Amino acid sequence: MRVFLRCFILILILHAVSSACQALTLSEALDTAEQHPSLKLHGLNIVARELETVDASAKGPNSLDISTENFGGKSGFNDLETTIEFSVPLQNARVVRAKKALAQAQVGLSHLEKGATRWLIMSQVSRAFHRALVLTSLVDEARENIENAQKLLDAAKIMHESGSVAEQEVFQAELVLQHSQLEQQTLQGDLEDAKAELTTAMGLATIEDFEVVGSITTELEFPDFETLRSIIASSHPDLAMRENEITRTQARLNLLRAESQPSWSLVAGAKHARENGSNDFLIGISAELPGSRATRGERAALKKDAERIELEKANLLRELSLNLQSELQRFRRLQSQITRLRDQIVPGAMHLFELALAGYQLGKTDQIVVLQAQKEYLSQKQSYLQKLEELYQSAAAIENLTSFHGRSAAPESK
């Protein structure tokens, strides 16, 4: 019997553990996003482009020519001459190099497209994770509000039973409690929506039940503007794609130049004269002489395209730098505001609320004073958490521009 009870209890414990919400950290979310279906699609595209590079060194097609002469008329087929020629093109090293460069540039573009997609996915995951984390704090704060509203209701009931206050104050306290419960339900729904957004960003097939685990802090640090700007200039996907486009344009220009040069073929064959039964063997070289003027306009256009892309790249770097500067200013401003809210305003509002509630419980303060103090405290706490969410959104915007993740400069606190 004891063995059965132990096994039964063990099964219940294992079931409770397995059914509990799985904890999810930011690093785990980012690791999961590495398996995003979009990245797998880009991986297949890279393989396909790499396979195309094999054809860059392929020779042109061989040709076979059969011709007959001197047939018909009075002699019929007696003077017939038949010639068979087989032509093998000689490889043009300049054309091969140009084709390989163009194929490699296409492979590079595929890698850049995958990198840009990964950059965007990681940014979306980080942004969604921190939003869910802040909403988790808001839900916790809403539960605390419910507890404070319950304390106010309990105090109102006690004072009403003692005849100190009218029944109206009990009804007012009940309304405050119901409002706090409704706000908690609303925030819980927002949290579930944020988790669904995070699930989509990670590329999961179904929405799973998990608990976002982590700490939110205002002590985030980024390098100075010039350092971040140099990171953008060297690694931003849009700039890298512009550089790749320049490379591909130059490769197409080199290919046109190489194809405007003569191409040579080795010719071998045999000639049979039916009149005397002789067989002659032929060997020679043939050349195609393309006119360079035929692609003169296209080559000039490619040169202009290269200049245009260079200007686009410079203009894009200017816009990204301005966005970075603006976002850094916003980040510093929010960080200063949040620090003041956290260290001065929110603790002060909480202290006033505690004093008002204690005074009300002792019958020294009116309920309206407690309600006003509670409203002020809740307003400042929500303002703090909302500013904190804006701070993380700003940090995510900086990370999206630079791929540099902000580091905590102090122990993290919730």
Side-chain angles (χ1 to χ4, degrees), residues 167 408 413:
E167 189 177 5
S408 173
S413 60

Side-chain angles (χ1 to χ4, degrees), residues 102-176:
L102 185 57
Q104 290 295 335
Q106 289 294 135
V107 174
L109 176 62
S110 300
H111 281 283
L112 289 175
E113 289 174 345
K114 181 180 180 180
T117 301
R118 181 184 178 278
W119 185 306
L120 179 61
I121 289 173
M122 296 305 165
S123 176
Q124 290 174 342
V125 169
S126 179
R127 185 188 297 269
F129 182 89
H130 286 115
R131 182 172 182 271
L133 193 60
V134 171
L135 282 170
T136 301
S137 299
L138 285 171
V139 171
D140 294 339
E141 180 63 24
R143 295 192 183 100
E144 182 182 346
N145 296 341
I146 293 175
E147 294 176 0
N148 292 331
Q150 186 64 51
K151 292 178 182 178
L152 179 62
L153 177 60
D154 294 340
K157 288 180 178 179
I158 293 173
M159 297 183 69
H160 172 64
E161 291 173 356
S162 64
S164 301
V165 298
E167 189 177 5
Q168 179 184 356
E169 294 195 6
V170 177
F171 293 151
Q172 181 67 34
E174 289 178 347
L175 288 175
V176 172

Side-chain angles (χ1 to χ4, degrees), residues 4-25:
F4 174 76
L5 288 176
R6 290 176 181 176
C7 292
F8 181 73
I9 293 172
L10 180 61
I11 292 173
L12 288 179
I13 293 175
L14 292 176
H15 176 72
V17 171
S18 62
S19 61
C21 293
Q22 182 180 1
L24 180 69
T25 63

Side-chain angles (χ1 to χ4, degrees), residues 351-361 365-366 369-371 373:
H351 183 62
L352 287 176
F353 170 69
E354 291 174 346
L355 290 177
L357 182 60
Y360 180 71
Q361 291 171 340
T365 306
D366 294 335
V369 177
V370 181
L371 294 176

Side-chain angles (χ1 to χ4, degrees), residues 333-362:
R333 183 173 62 253
L334 286 169
Q335 201 171 39
S336 176
Q337 294 173 356
I338 291 172
T339 301
R340 186 179 178 188
L341 281 168
R342 181 196 62 190
D343 297 340
Q344 300 177 15
I345 298 177
V346 173
M350 179 63 181
H351 183 62
L352 287 176
F353 170 69
E354 291 174 346
L355 290 177
L357 182 60
Y360 180 71
Q361 291 171 340
L362 296 174

